[in-house]
Amino acid sequence: MNEYSFIERQDKDVYETLVGEEQREREGLELIPSENYVSKAVREAQGSIFTNKYSEGYPGKRYYGGQEFTDKVETIAIERAKQLFGAKFANVQPPAGAPANIAMYFALLEPGDTVLGMDLSHGGHLTHGHPVTAITKVFRFVRYKMKNADTGEIDYDEMLRVAKEEKPKIVLAGYSAYSRELDYKKFVDIGREVGALVVMDIAHIAGLIAGGAVKNPFDYGFDVMTSTTHKTLRGPRGGLILTRESEELAKKVDKAVFPGLQGGPLMHAVAAKAVAFGEAQQPAFKAYAAQILKNAKAMEAVFAREGVRMLGGGTDNHLILADVFSSLSISGKEAEILLDRVGITLNKNVIADDTRSPFDPSGIRFGTPAITTRKFVETDCARIAELMIEAMRNKEDQAKLSAIREEVRATALRLPIPDAFV
Ligand code: DSN
C-alpha cells in the first residue's frame, strides 16, 4: 500500500509535496553533513499515535493522567541515551538542537553570565552566541578561534588568556563546520582553571561518539553535552541533553526544559528517539560510524589530489569545508546551486575570516553521514568527489553537467535509501 494513501485521498496538495520530496531524496545525493535518512521504524514512531498525548512533566511526575505508555516510552529513550553516551542523566524532550542549547544555558547560568564558545566563522554555531540570536540579550558570549585555519588547531593559549580575563561560567566546545578533533583535555583544564563548567554541543558528531568512531568528551570530564538526534545519530529531528555525573546539574536541566521553556513534549518524537537510540546500540551502527569516517577520508583524498583548499587541511570526522572560491573560482552559493542541479545537495558555508558575505561565502560544506547510510563505500565517495570538482571546473559546459547529472542519478538508484538498519 502507498505509504501516504490517506493523505493522497484527503489532500492532493500536500500529497504532491511528499511524492516530490521522496523522488528528490531517492534520485539525488545528500551531502549536507547535518542530514541523514532515518529508518522506516523511526518514521513510524515519529508519525505515531503518541502525537495525540499531552505529557507535561517527566516519567512518574506528570501533570495529566493517562501516562502509562508515555512514561514507558520516555524511560526507554532516557535509558538508551544514557547507555549510548556514558551519561548518568538524560533529558530527551528538547524538540531540536537550538532549544536544547537554550535550555542548557538557562539551566547552568544566571542572566549576564559569560560563555566562552567557538567563533561562528571558525566553525561554531549560531546558538553559541551569534549576535543575531535572542540568547545574546540574556547571556554574554566571548569567543575563541583557530590558531591556523589550514591545520584547524585551536588557539588554546589565547583561549586560556580570554578565559582568565572574561571569567566564563561555561567553556563551550562544539561546532557545525569544523572538521578536526578537539583536544578535550585542554578544554577541561581551561574550564577547571577558571571555575567554569565544561560543555560540548555534540550535535554533529553524536552518532560518531555513540558508534565509537571518535572520542567521547565525557571520558575527559566534560560536565554536560547537548545534541540533536537527527544528524550522524540518524534519529528523528530532535534534541537531547546529557549530564555526565552531577544530579544537581541534571535537575537544573530538567527544570529549564520543563517548565522553564516548554509545555507538552513531542511524545511522538520521544518515541522515535527511543527507536533510533535502539538502532544506535546495535553492532551495525559501530560499522556505520566507522564507515562515515573512511568515506570522508576518501573524499578528502580527491580534494587534496586536485589541489582544492580544505579548512583544517582535511577531516577527522564526517565533514569537509572546502574553500572553492580560492581554489576553483566559484563562490559557495554558485557551487551550491550548480551542484543541486546535478543532484548533489550540500551547502554554502563561510570559511574562517571569510572576506565574502555569509549569503555568498567562499566555502562549501559537505559530508558523508547520509550517503554512508545508503551503503556508499570509499570508491563511491571518491567518485562523487571527482564529479563535484568536475562540475565546478566545468560550470558552463551543459553537456558535461548533464552527463554528471545522469551518473549521479544512476549512482543514487544503484545505492537506494534503505528501509531498515537492524
Ligand atoms: N543546521 C545545522 C547544521 O546544518 O549544521 C546546525 O544547526
Side-chain angles (χ1 to χ4, degrees), residues 313-331:
T315 185
D316 297 325
N317 57 29
H318 61 302
L319 72 80
I320 290 172
L321 184 57
D323 177 1
V324 289
F325 189 71
S326 76
S327 303
L328 298 168
S329 307
I330 183 169
S331 76

Side-chain angles (χ1 to χ4, degrees), residues 34 125 176 204 231 365:
S34 49
H125 188 251
S176 58
H204 263 261
K231 298 185 174 95
R365 185 188 69 150

Side-chain angles (χ1 to χ4, degrees), residues 75-288:
T75 302
I76 294 168
I78 289 170
E79 292 306 316
R80 289 179 181 171
K82 283 160 49 178
Q83 287 161 17
L84 277 175
F85 295 96
K88 265 204 178 148
F89 305 94
N91 188 307
V92 297
Q93 291 192 4
N101 280 341
I102 294 165
M104 176 272 289
Y105 294 135
F106 276 98
L108 308 183
L109 300 173
E110 295 298 327
D113 281 350
T114 301
V115 178
L116 174 57
M118 193 166 185
D119 189 86
L120 180 72
S121 81
H122 283 232
H125 188 251
L126 277 177
T127 59
H128 300 177
H130 193 278
V132 296
T133 58
I135 42 167
T136 57
K137 294 189 167 72
V138 183
F139 308 113
R140 247 184 100 234
F141 291 84
V142 292
R143 327 207 165 285
Y144 58 88
K145 292 184 171 188
M146 290 181 278
K147 188 193 260 177
N148 177 348
D150 287 310
T151 64
E153 193 195 345
I154 301 293
D155 193 341
Y156 292 104
D157 295 335
E158 174 66 3
M159 195 175 158
L160 176 61
R161 192 194 64 71
V162 176
K164 282 180 169 166
E165 194 173 297
E166 301 285 354
K167 304 195 177 16
K169 291 279 163 46
I170 290 176
V171 170
L172 181 64
Y175 43 77
S176 58
Y178 179 77
S179 56
R180 292 302 189 186
E181 199 150 42
L182 299 171
D183 187 337
Y184 295 136
K185 183 174 177 316
K186 287 213 165 98
F187 274 83
V188 172
D189 288 347
I190 292 170
R192 299 288 180 257
E193 183 157 350
V194 300
L197 291 166
V198 187
V199 177
M200 178 149 178
D201 174 350
I202 60 166
H204 263 261
I205 58 167
L208 304 180
I209 294 171
V214 298
K215 293 173 193 158
N216 184 343
F218 277 161
D219 292 340
Y220 294 79
F222 274 62
D223 299 292
V224 171
M225 300 200 295
T226 59
S227 188
T228 55
T229 50
H230 49 269
K231 298 185 174 95
T232 47
L233 196 48
R234 205 163 60 183
R237 306 203 75 77
L240 172 67
I241 306 176
L242 301 151
T243 306
R244 178 174 55 85
E245 178 72 37
S246 161
E247 188 169 5
E248 190 192 335
L249 291 185
K251 280 187 175 154
K252 287 182 179 176
V253 166
D254 283 352
K255 269 195 188 156
V257 172
F258 174 83
L261 288 162
Q262 66 181 45
L266 307 181
M267 206 41 78
H268 54 296
V270 169
K273 288 174 196 177
V275 173
F277 297 161
E279 290 174 0
Q281 287 179 317
Q282 306 304 313
F285 195 82
K286 260 192 182 325
Y288 166 64

Side-chain angles (χ1 to χ4, degrees), residues 26-29 374 407-417:
R26 190 173 56 239
E27 296 182 6
L29 297 181
R374 290 178 95 135
E407 187 171 338
V408 166
R409 197 196 316 272
T411 308
L413 295 176
R414 176 169 62 80
L415 292 160
I417 301 167

